[in-house]
């Protein structure tokens, strides 16, 4: 009788154990379960992979409007007025909303719908000194400067008494779909 | 161990379901009471509204007001053509059929009450033809004023609104 190696003994034990405790039927059952799990891609990762969301849209949140990843800030280039004594659709005291603005759409992650957002600059005071986390530069559906009507690199302080840029708002205009 | 592993395997879909329900149950920030805007209005907002104003009024010295006055351009064939031949209209990224819907919204809805009685809506073929002839004259403002003068002769009521008035702030701001 030849003595078996430790490795052989271990392998045999594992194989026998597998054979004794798992029938082919249970393997089929487990595979079926796994297949069903795949058929219902309910985890956020799987959902995100299904549609072509932008990098911003994958991370967008709906709770804190004082952060750059707030859903309405998908194409904002500037300092958030909410960090400067104003709000998401109001200018801080002493500044004036520009009558012209950059209008685009952002996707609300809660209902998956697009909304029309107007990025109105507040003008007439020097640039607001806010924490760095309030200085945003996102660019969903934004285009380079040679398409000025779709570029947010422009300071939109036109038609105001002063062309000094203070901060940016993101007013909600309506639902686009 | 084996039982735990099998149990875990069976739990995968359940965990998935619960995770899905959890996501649905989270308090949602759905902008309340917000009805869907008509397609033409969305096209107007995204392509024109930034400068011309969400309701067709913004800063008349900077961009002409449209609200209740842009329809007067339909008083003459030259005025009618002028609107589509404007560079940012002609060079729009919209298809000619979408642009036609937008033009008719602008002239008849936004321009409410200013289009002459019996004015026909723009057709796709007309818009498609006109946008191939964008305005590119040496003196744009002079051409604009000639067009506006023709409109005022055909529809004298136009002279009462800013974009057609003698003291149009847009013209005064752009005078050479």
């Amino acid at each position: 009788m030849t003595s078996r190696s430790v490795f052989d003994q271990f392998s045999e034990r594992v194989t026998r154990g597998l054979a004794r405790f798992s029938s082919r039927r249970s393997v089929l059952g487990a595979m079926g379960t796994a297949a069903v799990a795949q058929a219902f891609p309910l985890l956020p990762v799987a959902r995100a992979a299904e549609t072509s969301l932008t990098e911003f849209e994958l991370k967008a949140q709906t709770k804190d409007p004082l952060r750059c990843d707030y859903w309405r800030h998908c194409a904002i280039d500037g300092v958030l007025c909410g960090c400067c004594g104003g709000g998401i659709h109001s200018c801080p005291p002493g500044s004036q909303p520009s009558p012209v603005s950059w209008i685009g759409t952002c996707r609300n992650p809660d209902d998956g719908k697009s909304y029309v957002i107007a990025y109105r600059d507040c003008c007439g005071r020097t640039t607001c000194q806010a924490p760095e986390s309030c200085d945003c530069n996102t660019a969903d559906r934004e285009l380079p400067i040679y398409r000025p009507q779709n570029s947010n690199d422009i300071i939109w302080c036109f038609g105001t008494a002063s062309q000094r840029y203070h901060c940016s708002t993101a007013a909600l205009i309506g639902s686009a779909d | 161990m084996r039982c735990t592993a099998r149990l875990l395997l069976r739990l995968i879909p359940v965990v998935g379901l619960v995770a899905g329900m959890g996501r649905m149950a989270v308090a949602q920030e759905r902008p309340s009471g917000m009805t869907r805007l008509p397609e033409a209005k969305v096209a107007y907002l995204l392509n024109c509204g930034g400068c011309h104003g969400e309701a067709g009024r913004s800063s008349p010295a900077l961009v002409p007001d449209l609200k209740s006055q842009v329809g007067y351009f339909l008083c003459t064939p030259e005025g009618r053509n002028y609107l589509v031949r404007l560079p940012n209209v002609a060079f729009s990224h919209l298809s000619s059929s979408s642009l036609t819907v937008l033009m008719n919204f602008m002239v008849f809805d936004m321009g409410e009450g200013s289009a002459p009685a019996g004015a026909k809506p723009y057709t796709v073929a007309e818009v498609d033809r006109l946008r191939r002839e964008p305005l590119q004259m040496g003196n744009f403002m002079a051409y604009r004023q000639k067009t506006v003068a023709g409109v005022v002769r055909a529809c004298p009521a136009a002279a009462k609104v800013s974009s057609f008035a003698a003291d149009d702030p847009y013209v005064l701001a752009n005078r050479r």
Side-chain angles (χ1 to χ4, degrees):
Chain A
M1 204 168 161
T2 53
S3 65
R4 289 178 303 155
S5 70
V6 177
F7 182 72
D8 282 350
Q9 288 175 35
F10 173 72
S11 304
E12 188 188 352
R13 236 192 350 261
V14 169
T15 316
R16 283 187 191 283
L18 257 177
R20 200 175 326 135
F21 292 116
S22 65
S23 65
R24 268 168 285 182
R25 199 176 289 170
S26 83
V27 169
L28 281 176
M31 282 169 65
T33 311
V36 169
Q38 291 303 310
F40 294 98
L42 291 165
L43 297 170
V45 177
R47 274 204 228 175
E50 275 169 18
T51 51
S52 54
L53 298 180
T54 65
E55 210 173 306
F56 178 90
E57 288 166 344
L58 289 171
K59 297 176 191 157
Q61 48 88 17
T62 55
K63 302 281 171 271
D64 186 0
L66 298 184
R67 278 172 38 195
C68 295
D69 61 1
Y70 184 64
W71 72 280
R72 285 199 227 171
H73 298 152
C74 72
I76 200 163
D77 185 353
V79 185
L80 305 177
C81 287
C83 302
C84 308
I88 193 159
H89 44 71
S90 59
C91 286
S95 66
Q96 190 190 359
S98 172
V100 298
S101 64
W102 200 108
I103 296 187
T105 56
C106 289
R107 177 184 178 274
N108 182 315
D110 285 346
D111 62 9
K113 287 184 177 171
S114 287
Y115 290 86
V116 179
I117 309 290
Y119 297 104
R120 289 194 199 100
D121 284 347
C122 296
C123 314
R125 285 177 64 184
T126 49
T127 307
C128 163
Q129 298 300 309
E132 209 173 302
S133 62
C134 297
D135 195 350
C136 310
N137 191 0
T138 51
D140 278 8
R141 290 166 284 280
E142 192 241 359
L143 291 175
I145 198 88
Y146 56 74
R147 195 82 179 171
Q149 63 271 48
N150 290 108
S151 173
N152 66 10
D153 297 335
I154 295 173
I155 288 179
W156 285 86
C157 286
F158 299 113
T160 41
S162 157
Q163 292 197 351
R164 273 189 193 164
Y165 168 83
H166 186 56
C167 60
S168 301
T169 62
L172 186 61
I173 308 296
S175 162
D177 63 13
Chain B
M1 273 307 285
R2 171 180 47 86
C3 283
T4 316
R6 200 190 289 173
L7 187 66
L8 274 176
L9 204 57
R10 292 200 187 283
L11 271 176
I12 287 175
V14 181
V15 170
L17 270 170
V18 172
M21 284 161 65
R23 277 179 63 81
M24 284 188 284
V26 167
Q28 298 188 343
E29 194 225 30
R30 219 177 246 132
S32 57
M34 197 147 270
T35 51
R36 186 184 166 177
L37 298 167
E39 204 176 319
K41 172 88 178 179
V42 173
Y44 169 80
L45 288 170
L46 296 182
N47 295 282
C48 325
C51 291
H52 284 285
E54 288 136 37
R57 277 200 196 101
S58 64
S59 178
L62 207 60
V63 273
D65 281 346
L66 304 175
K67 180 75 182 163
S68 299
Q69 40 181 303
V70 67
Y72 283 120
F73 277 105
L74 266 51
C75 289
T76 66
E78 192 184 30
R80 183 182 175 101
N81 294 352
Y82 167 86
L83 289 183
V84 184
R85 295 179 67 205
L86 281 165
N88 265 358
V89 178
F91 299 151
S92 157
H93 67 271
L94 294 173
S95 67
S96 292
S97 67
S98 300
L99 186 57
T100 307
V101 173
L102 171 52
M103 291 307 292
N104 287 327
F105 168 81
M106 196 180 72
V107 168
F108 295 105
D109 290 52
M110 189 136 278
E112 189 184 17
S114 57
K120 289 195 179 100
Y122 284 100
T123 65
V124 178
E126 180 185 16
V127 167
D128 195 60
R129 174 176 56 81
L130 289 169
R131 71 189 301 195
R132 287 165 207 265
E133 304 159 17
L135 297 175
Q136 44 190 338
M137 56 283 306
N139 189 342
F140 169 74
M141 284 308 285
Y143 183 78
R144 181 186 194 280
Q145 284 317 93
K146 186 172 142 290
T147 309
V148 163
V151 165
V152 173
R153 271 196 302 277
C155 297
K160 291 179 189 150
V161 296
S162 65
S163 295
F164 297 89
D167 59 349
D168 176 359
Y170 181 65
V171 174
L172 297 180
N174 287 282
R175 185 162 281 168
R176 297 191 188 188

